[in-house]
């Protein structure tokens, strides 16, 4: 059955076809392998009007079975609104939407209210609505059958058939593995088994959103709609979600500003810009390249056509009044009338523009912690931490949510006193701090201008409107109350406050949440040129890449240090896991060995020698390739250091994408080189 839903103001007309589909769907759940049940969303000329201005109009596209679509665009372009329309939370002003009947949508918004009356497990398993009802029906029918003895009656046979139908449906929906599935998803999203019985109200809003995400994944809707899902996840949970979505049978449409996550999950990119869409059948990084190529091709075709038109018009003007040329003139006039004009796609290139003030001089040591213990009341978060940060060092804090990253940051800025030990700032250290909830700390009753004006002093006050303009706040926007700003606008305003005074230790706790791609790129470029010490707390791998030279992993109340970039850290973590697994395998094998151990060792030795000879032949090739990659990486770093000469390449993200690829390539080849050396 297919529902055709036509929107004309408040009027909704439902036209239902193919009623037999409901019967088929009951007995045969959704399968991407069966084209009869291919999920389909068709959107035609949707329009949304807010406060007299159209957010978008004439928006049209089709999403098919197992599509992996990333919705991208600037903050306020209408991405979240489109997801709400598909989920039927709001209605557009006009347009039509067609969704295959019997197909459900699972929607994760950016913010939602949680059910605080339940614990984590109770709220999670509440996702199994149909399975629980079938379970009750099976128990009820079974009880009825056990009390009856009219085995040959028609009513008995009908009841037995109902039991068979319910049982079959129950197993098809995975009813027999509900608890195992729920546990798998909760563990994958970062919960511990000890968390399952804890009331949901004890968790932060980010963890409550994880429960909401778990429910959607367990319900297995045919269409999943996710709005910034990685804002609430740590790196390990993001990687788990990537794997889960890669194997998901349904369709996926999601909004995300996490470039790495989009590249690993999506295969199609739809950009909402200036009220229209641009559709690309590729991942985000490929979309960035194709978008630039398309605009350049259109611009070249437009310029060539304008030259041709100008030449034709000159001919017409020159010979318009000559009778001998009248035929040729009329021919060219008709040619102009019939000519298909080349149109260059309009692109919203507006972006924030700023750089951090020069960092004042400070002592050699910026932050130093000795035997530091941190916590809340009797609850201990970090224990016996020894750590120091030197002047000019750039580090990232990573780890699962709740492991103490933000707690440690609060102790650095003086918001949390140590339970034990000490933490001290170096000589003349001045901190610039962007808190994880910085946007929420803004006074909602103040205007944008008043928010900056209250902290601006001295010569900076006359430049307030200029600073706000660099963060895309127009003259009219400066008079808006903070309460009416979007999440992205609040984040930009909070960043603007950082520019009002110089500092030599910059601490950013999840600064990219709610920022669009262009704003993230500008922030990253500004950080690349920042001269002071830097502490970044972020789960955005693409954003962290190239910004840090050291990684501090927070785990089990301790901090472990890794030298290198975030992708170096992830590869090292993967290698550690493999080595640990190999140690367990070797240990188990050792217990089973008997008198034949010497012979096995001899054979293994001969095999290793053969492999070593083979691998030696690859060393020279690897060394050459690593050398070439390092040279290419150095060239990109030189370009990043000269943003005024390579503005287009930097803003497009092309350089960052190539930088990431080369870093990964070098890391992989160096790891292989190390293996061959051994």
């Amino acid at each position: 059955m297919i529902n055709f839903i036509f929107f004309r103001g408040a009027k909704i007309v439902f036209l239902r076809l193919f009623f037999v589909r409901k019967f088929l769907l009951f007995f045969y759940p959704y399968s991407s392998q069966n084209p009869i049940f291919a999920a389909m969303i068709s959107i035609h000329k949707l329009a949304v009007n807010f406060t007299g201005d159209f957010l978008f109009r004439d928006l049209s596209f089709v999403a098919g079975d197992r599509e992996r679509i990333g919705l991208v665009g600037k903050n306020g372009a209408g991405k979240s609104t489109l997801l709400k329309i598909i989920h039927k939370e709001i209605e557009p002003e006009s347009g039509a939407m067609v969704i295959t009947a019997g197909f459900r949508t699972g929607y994760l918004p950016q913010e939602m209210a949680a059910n605080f009356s339940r614990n984590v497990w109770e709220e999670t398993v509440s996702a199994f609505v149909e399975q629980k009802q079938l379970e009750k029906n099976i128990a009820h029918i079974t009880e009825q059958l056990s009390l009856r003895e009219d085995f040959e009656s028609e009513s008995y046979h009908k009841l037995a058939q109902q039991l068979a139908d319910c049982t079959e449906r129950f197993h098809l929906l995975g009813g027999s593995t509900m608890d195992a599935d729920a546990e798998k998803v909760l563990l994958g999203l970062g919960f511990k088994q000890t968390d399952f019985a804890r009331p949901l109200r004890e968790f932060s809003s980010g963890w409550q959103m994880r429960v909401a995400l778990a429910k959607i994944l367990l319900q297995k809707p045919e269409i999943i709609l996710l709005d910034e899902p990685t804002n609430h996840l740590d790196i390990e949970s993001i990687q788990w979600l990537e794997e889960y979505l890669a194997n998901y049978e349904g369709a996926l449409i999601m909004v995300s500003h996490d470039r790495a996550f989009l590249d690993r999950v999506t295969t199609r990119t739809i950009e909402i810009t200036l009220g229209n869409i641009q559709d690309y059948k590729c991942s985000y990084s490929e979309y960035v390249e194709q978008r630039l190529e398309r605009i350049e091709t259109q611009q070249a075709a437009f310029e060539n056509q304008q030259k041709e038109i100008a030449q034709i018009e000159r001919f017409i003007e020159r010979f318009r009044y000559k009778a001998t040329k009248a035929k040729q003139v009329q021919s060219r006039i008709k040619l102009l009338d019939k000519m298909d004009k080349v149109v260059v796609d309009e692109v919203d290139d507006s972006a924030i523009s700023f750089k951090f003030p020069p960092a004042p001089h400070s002592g050699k040591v910026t932050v130093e912690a000795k035997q530091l213990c941190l916590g809340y009341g009797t609850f201990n978060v970090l224990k016996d931490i020894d750590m120091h940060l030197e002047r000019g060092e750039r580090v990232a804090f990573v780890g699962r949510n709740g492991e103490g990253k933000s707690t440690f940051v609060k102790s650095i800025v003086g918001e949390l006193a140590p339970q034990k030990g000490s933490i001290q700032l170096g000589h003349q250290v001045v901190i610039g701090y962007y808190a994880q909830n910085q946007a929420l700390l803004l006074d909602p009753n103040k205007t944008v201008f008043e928010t900056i004006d209250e902290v601006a002093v001295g010569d900076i006050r006359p430049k307030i409107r200029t600073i706000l303009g660099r963060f895309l706040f127009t003259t009219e926007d400066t008079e808006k109350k903070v309460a009416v700003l979007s999440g992205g606008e609040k984040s930009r305003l909070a960043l603007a406050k950082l520019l009002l005074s110089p500092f030599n230790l910059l601490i950013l706790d999840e600064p990219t949440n709610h920022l669009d791609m262009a704003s993230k790129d500008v922030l990253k470029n500004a950080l690349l040129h920042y001269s002071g010490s830097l502490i970044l707390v972020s789960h955005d791998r693409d954003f962290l890449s190239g910004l840090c030279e050291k990684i501090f992993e927070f785990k089990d109340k301790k901090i472990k240090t890794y030298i290198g970039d975030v992708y170096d850290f992830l590869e090292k973590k993967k290698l550690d896991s493999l080595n640990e697994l190999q140690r367990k395998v070797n240990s188990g094998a050792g217990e089973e060995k008997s008198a034949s151990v010497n012979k096995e060792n001899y054979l293994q030795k001969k095999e290793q020698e053969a492999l070593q000879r083979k691998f030696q032949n690859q060393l020279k090739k690897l060394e050459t390739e690593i050398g070439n990659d390092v040279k290419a990486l150095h060239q990109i770093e030189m370009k990043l250091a000269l943003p005024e000469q390579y503005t287009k390449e930097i803003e497009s993200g092309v350089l960052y994408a190539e930088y990431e690829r080369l870093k990964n390539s070098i890391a992989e080849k160096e790891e292989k080189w190390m293996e061959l050396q051994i």
Side-chain angles (χ1 to χ4, degrees), residues 468-484:
L468 289 173
R470 291 176 181 172
F471 284 83
L472 305 184
F473 290 105
T474 64
T475 302
E476 294 77 14
D477 291 336
T478 61
E479 301 306 319
K480 288 182 179 179
K481 296 283 188 182
V482 171
V484 304

Side-chain angles (χ1 to χ4, degrees), residues 442-564:
L442 300 173
D443 188 340
N445 297 316
K446 285 187 167 61
T447 66
V448 170
F449 183 86
E450 290 170 345
T451 300
I452 300 297
D453 186 55
E454 68 178 355
V455 293
V457 294
D459 295 338
I460 201 70
R461 293 200 68 197
K463 303 177 183 178
I464 290 177
R465 294 193 184 277
T466 301
I467 292 173
L468 289 173
R470 291 176 181 172
F471 284 83
L472 305 184
F473 290 105
T474 64
T475 302
E476 294 77 14
D477 291 336
T478 61
E479 301 306 319
K480 288 182 179 179
K481 296 283 188 182
V482 171
V484 304
L485 300 180
S486 67
E489 289 172 328
K490 290 177 182 177
S491 296
R492 296 203 305 266
L493 182 59
L495 281 173
K497 292 180 67 175
L498 282 177
L499 301 184
L500 301 182
S501 58
F503 40 80
N504 44 37
L505 172 57
L506 178 58
I507 304 175
L508 302 179
D509 193 349
E510 297 292 358
T512 61
N513 284 357
H514 305 297
L515 287 182
D516 56 45
M517 296 288 192
S519 298
K520 283 168 58 175
D521 287 342
V522 172
L523 174 59
K524 183 169 184 175
N525 188 55
L527 290 173
L528 285 170
H529 294 85
Y530 172 63
S531 58
S533 304
L534 174 65
I535 296 176
L536 267 176
V537 183
S538 179
H539 303 312
D540 190 326
R541 293 156 295 177
D542 180 77
F543 181 74
L544 287 176
S545 179
L547 283 179
C548 301
E549 58 206 25
K550 186 183 294 184
I551 305 294
F552 289 150
E553 182 192 20
F554 287 67
K555 187 176 182 181
D556 299 329
K557 300 184 180 182
K558 297 291 184 180
I559 299 178
K560 186 175 181 180
T561 305
Y562 293 83
I563 304 300

Side-chain angles (χ1 to χ4, degrees), residues 303-347:
E303 292 173 358
N304 289 335
Q305 189 179 65
Q306 291 303 305
K307 291 178 182 178
E308 181 183 359
I309 290 173
Q311 185 178 0
I312 294 173
E313 288 176 342
R314 285 196 299 271
F315 181 90
I316 293 173
E317 287 300 318
R318 181 178 180 182
F319 299 108
R320 181 184 295 275
Y321 304 106
K322 288 191 176 183
T324 56
K325 299 288 186 179
K327 188 174 181 180
Q328 293 94 321
V329 168
Q330 289 302 316
S331 174
R332 283 166 172 74
I333 291 175
K334 291 179 181 179
L335 178 62
L336 285 179
D337 292 337
K338 294 179 179 180
M339 185 179 291
D340 292 329
K341 299 298 189 295
V342 175
V343 178
V344 180
D345 290 339
E346 191 176 8
V347 177

